[in-house]
Every structure is written in structure tokens, then in C-alpha cells.
Amino acid sequence: MLTVDFSRFPLAPGDRVLDLGCGAGRHAFECYRRGAQVVALDQNGDEIREVAKWFAAMKEAGEAPAGASATAMEGDALALPFPDDSFDVVIISEVMEHIPDDKGVLAEMVRVLRPGGRIAVTVPRYGPEKICWALSDAYHEVEGGHIRIYRGDELLGKMREAGLEPYGTHHAHGLHSPYWWLKCAFGVDNDKALPVKAYHKLLVWDIMKKPLATRLAEQALNPVIGKSFVAYATKPQLPAEPAEPTEPAATPAAKPAAKATTRTPKTSPAKPAKPAKPAKPVKAANSVKATAKSASGAAK
């Protein structure tokens, strides 16, 4: 009898699964059949030894595919013996209502769940559970019994506070609420009361045969009197770390421009011109003679 709906909570072969507070191992067995690598953990040593025997029997019968693995171990839900980010999937079914430090359990589950991993939490539903408490003190006032009743929004709020992101809810086991009301009315330990015995046979027949009539009846009853409240959530992916700024590659400094030089073509200095020779002076005597001759010719 599964409380987790694996059509809403997909499981892939090879997923690392922790069934925390596994009890008799019903969810651990289903995960093993689906090819997961399962760790079933509980503080009850007797139940763990029984779960380990069933794992061995399933392996011998070939009920688990190749690559699947299963381990049963004792442990404390408030101090899980696993490193951070150890599991892809965590299931905790009908456990948190027993533990005083439920926030501590949520914190441990989130710690061992990898970023992007999925978690399924199931607890008794508020309405049907409230009727059980009203009908019988012995139902909850026992060692290890139920110490709180969750409202759905309260559980989802605690899951969000723990860092989870809920993505879906539903109710399960509508046929089982009347059985527990009968148990509380006739005595929690009184299995011989006729109404209790008769209803128990009905439930066993339903679990073993899964007839259509009871399947349809339970689907109709789940939203109204479903015994369990089931919530699914994911652990957010880590934000991508911003890339460290890189200094731009140094641009080589431009070489200083070569000094512009204007080469003056080499020219030979002009040779100074030779001074002109001075004209020879005219002799005065000759001038006088010429003048006299001219004058004498004109007088004749």
C-alpha cells in the first residue's frame, strides 16, 4: 500500500533514494523495483532487520533490475550519517507527526538532498486525524505516538522555511479513515471487535486484488476523507556563480612616432663669384689730346 504517487513523483533507474523512517519498507521496496539505489533508514532495529531480509529475497527472486541496489540501516533522522547532497530523492512517510523537532528533520533532509532533487512528505490529514484523537486518547498518548496534527498549509509553510519549493499535493487512503475510526471507537488494541475485523478483511482484499469498485470508491473518497496528506517539493538549484571579471589583455603601448626629420640634401656651397676686374683708367693726357684735335678740326 503506497502513499506516494509515483506518477506525480517520478523516479528514474539509478536515482539515489533515501526512505527516511522506512518502517516496514513499503516505499523502499517500490523504489528498489524501479531500479533505484535505495537506502532504507529507521531507528527501529527490528524493522530494519526485517526490511533487509525482504531486500535479499527480492534480489534472489529477480524483482529488482540490474544496477539497482538496496541497503537497510539503523539511524537517527536528526543526525543522518550521510554527506551533503548525497541523494536525488528523499521520502518520509507518516513519520514527522512522531518527532518533536520536525524542523530539525526537514533541515537534515534538505542537507542530504542534492540541489534539484525531489522530496515527498506524507502525514496524517487534519480532519480524519482530529476524529481519531477525539475518539481515543490511546491512539496518540502512547510512547512514540502522534504528537501533533498538521494542517496542510502549516506543513507546506515549514517545507518552504526549510528551503524547499512545493509543487504538488493530494490526499490518499480514503478507504482507511473509517477503519481507524472503528479502531479508536472499539479500542486501538481491540482487533477482535466484529466491525474492525470485517473492515480489515475488506482492506486486505482491496490491497491484494485492487478491484475496480474499490479503486473508484477510494478516488471519490480521497478528496473528502483521505487519511494522508501528501506534499511534493524540490530543492532549488544553486544559483550560477557570477564569472569573475577578467582584466582585458594589455594592449602593447604604441611605439612613439619616429621623429620626423627633414633631410636637407647635401649641396656644395656655391663658390663665390670672382670679382670683376676693374676697368683700366683712361689716361688723362690722351683725353686732352683727343679733345684738342676735335676742337682744332671744328675751327678750320
Side-chain angles (χ1 to χ4, degrees):
M1 182 188 70
L2 298 175
T3 308
V4 172
D5 182 352
F6 286 95
S7 68
R8 309 181 195 216
F9 189 66
L11 193 69
D15 275 352
R16 299 163 298 168
V17 178
L18 173 63
D19 185 2
L20 182 56
C22 64
R26 55 201 173 100
H27 289 105
F29 300 150
E30 181 64 21
C31 294
Y32 188 32
R33 290 188 187 97
R34 290 172 179 260
Q37 299 174 8
V38 185
V39 175
L41 183 144
D42 201 285
Q43 67 177 359
N44 187 317
D46 291 337
E47 286 192 317
I48 284 298
R49 283 185 285 274
E50 195 65 24
V51 169
K53 290 178 183 177
W54 278 104
F55 278 151
M58 290 173 66
K59 182 178 181 179
E60 186 176 348
E63 290 189 37
S69 64
T71 302
M73 61 184 296
E74 290 185 56
D76 182 356
L78 290 167
L80 296 174
F82 310 111
D84 296 355
D85 308 336
S86 295
F87 296 96
D88 303 298
V89 173
V90 176
I91 297 172
I92 183 166
S93 183
E94 311 299 304
V95 174
M96 289 181 58
E97 67 276 10
H98 297 271
I99 301 176
D101 187 9
D102 57 347
K103 290 185 177 180
V105 173
L106 279 168
E108 272 293 88
M109 289 190 291
V110 172
R111 180 184 68 80
V112 302
L113 184 65
R114 68 165 176 82
R118 303 173 307 284
I119 187 168
V121 181
T122 88
V123 296
R125 185 181 184 178
Y126 183 84
E129 185 77 349
K130 196 76 173 176
I131 294 172
C132 288
W133 282 44
L135 290 172
S136 171
D137 290 337
Y139 172 80
H140 62 96
E141 291 181 357
V142 293
E143 184 179 356
H146 299 186
I147 62 172
R148 72 173 63 82
I149 307 175
Y150 287 101
R151 292 186 181 275
D153 56 355
E154 176 193 0
L155 178 61
L156 293 174
K158 289 186 176 183
M159 292 171 71
R160 291 189 182 96
E161 287 176 11
L164 296 168
E165 294 181 349
Y167 68 84
T169 64
H170 65 91
H171 300 99
H173 310 315
L175 288 176
H176 288 248
S177 290
Y179 171 72
W180 282 102
W181 296 339
L182 290 171
K183 288 269 289 180
C184 290
F186 286 93
V188 175
D189 297 322
N190 183 10
D191 294 330
K192 295 181 179 180
L194 184 58
V196 174
K197 288 176 66 176
Y199 206 102
H200 184 264
K201 287 182 179 180
L202 170 67
L203 293 179
V204 172
W205 174 69
D206 171 59
I207 293 169
M208 299 301 295
K209 301 296 184 180
K210 296 182 174 60
L212 180 60
T214 56
R215 295 299 85 214
L216 293 174
E218 184 151 83
Q219 287 180 15
L221 290 172
N222 280 341
V224 184
I225 59 170
K227 181 74 168 65
S228 295
F229 175 74
V230 188
Y232 305 108
T234 59
K235 179 177 176 177
Q237 293 278 5
L238 295 174
E241 295 183 2
E244 294 184 3
T246 55
E247 295 183 3
T251 304
K255 293 182 179 180
K259 291 181 180 178
T261 56
T262 305
R263 292 187 178 183
T264 304
K266 291 183 180 179
T267 55
S268 299
K271 293 182 180 180
K274 292 182 179 181
K277 291 183 179 181
K280 292 183 178 180
V282 180
K283 292 184 178 179
N286 291 337
S287 300
V288 170
K289 287 180 176 179
T291 304
K293 286 184 177 180
S294 298
S296 173
K300 289 181 176 179

